[in-house]
Amino acid sequence: MAIQSVIFDLDGVICFTDQFHYQAWKKMADKMGIYFDEVINNRLRGVSRMASLEIILERYEGEPLSVEKKEELAEYKNDLYRELLNTMKPSDCSKVVRRTLHELRNRGYLLAIGSSSKNTPLILERLGLSGFFDAVSDGNNITHSKPDPEVFVKAAEMLGSPAAECLVVEDAEAGIRAGNGGGMKTAAIGDAVNCHLADYEMEHFSDLLKICE
Ligand code: B16
Ligand code: MG
């Protein structure tokens, strides 16, 4: 079936906030005396905030932490992360990404965001993209995080597009699995190319213009 809608992951596809996630989690980990590095940070791609915390706590050697303490740690990280997000500006979404999005729209495709992040509204605002997408499905409207397909299924519903007519663009293996599980076509970029589970593997964001002709 022909592709009619494109659902984009946000972090790692439309913009890059990995370093902000890393810096904020690193401060939290240092405060708790937990070892944390960029390799562990890479495992947090596309994973929800609380699931990310659990991955970091695999290296924690102290007494078991209460739910309240874990929520406090996640909030501490998120406050630091949002301070960093507030330094973002429209140029943090590249010209190639913007041009490609506009060209896809000119070609008649519906465009949506499908992100695990609860900070999606703030990120889109900082990039000057609030209101640009035809639908935004994010960490605020889901109960199951990627690799569960929920975030993309909801995006397709908001667009009114059948799953088989949607293409999911993702930088995380969990996101490719989510798109495949939702019955959508998938395009991998960046780190997600390595899992070889996507229908398309992209070197550049503009490769979308060859996939969506
Ligand atoms: P937040 P995506 C994901 O966004 C990030 O890749 C992941 O590292 C982060 O833990 C997750 O959002 C939750 O983010 O703490 O802002 O709710 O890649 O799905 O756009
Ligand atoms: Mg991502």
Side-chain angles (χ1 to χ4, degrees):
M1 216 177 279
I3 297 165
Q4 295 194 336
S5 301
V6 188
I7 307 174
F8 298 91
D9 171 55
L10 184 58
D11 291 332
V13 173
I14 299 292
C15 62
F16 297 89
T17 55
D18 324 34
Q19 271 306 311
F20 293 162
H21 279 296
Y22 177 69
Q23 287 171 37
W25 281 128
K26 177 79 179 142
K27 272 201 180 165
M28 187 231 72
D30 286 351
K31 194 169 97 125
M32 293 292 290
I34 304 169
Y35 178 79
F36 181 61
D37 63 17
E38 302 235 16
V39 176
I40 302 172
N41 191 57
N42 211 28
R43 290 175 57 203
L44 313 183
R45 225 174 262 282
V47 174
S48 75
R49 194 179 310 160
M50 293 313 283
S52 297
L53 177 64
E54 291 299 339
I55 290 172
I56 294 168
L57 291 177
E58 286 171 10
R59 298 284 192 125
Y60 177 64
E61 287 166 357
E63 292 296 308
L65 300 175
S66 65
V67 174
E68 291 75 23
K69 181 65 186 174
K70 287 182 184 176
E71 277 167 3
E72 186 192 303
L73 292 175
E75 196 180 324
Y76 173 80
K77 179 266 176 178
N78 195 49
D79 288 346
L80 294 170
Y81 178 60
R82 285 179 69 92
E83 270 177 39
L84 294 167
L85 289 181
N86 272 317
T87 67
M88 286 179 92
K89 44 196 184 317
S91 59
D92 287 315
C93 174
S94 74
K95 283 189 181 147
V96 175
V97 169
R98 277 178 203 275
R99 273 197 221 117
T100 304
L101 290 173
H102 283 284
E103 177 57 22
L104 289 170
R105 172 151 292 156
N106 286 342
R107 292 183 187 183
Y109 289 93
L110 290 175
L111 309 178
I113 290 289
S115 168
S116 300
S117 177
K118 293 187 172 177
N119 291 300
T120 294
L122 173 60
I123 296 171
L124 291 178
E125 184 199 315
R126 296 304 311 175
L127 297 177
L129 288 172
S130 297
F132 174 81
F133 292 93
D134 300 299
V136 175
S137 174
D138 64 25
N140 299 296
N141 65 258
I142 54 169
T143 45
H144 304 291
S145 191
K146 301 168 189 175
D148 190 286
E150 185 182 9
V151 73
F152 296 132
V153 170
K154 292 241 166 92
E157 277 170 14
M158 289 177 193
L159 292 174
S161 294
E165 293 177 12
C166 295
L167 174 72
V168 165
V169 185
E170 259 289 351
D171 74 311
E173 179 176 338
I176 295 294
R177 288 186 184 280
N180 289 342
M184 293 149 191
K185 295 194 179 67
T186 47
I189 191 164
D191 196 63
V193 169
N194 301 322
C195 71
H196 300 300
L197 291 172
D199 296 296
Y200 304 95
E201 292 178 356
M202 308 197 310
E203 197 176 339
H204 306 290
F205 191 86
S206 55
D207 293 348
L208 277 172
L209 299 179
K210 289 182 256 171
I211 300 170
C212 303
E213 285 183 318

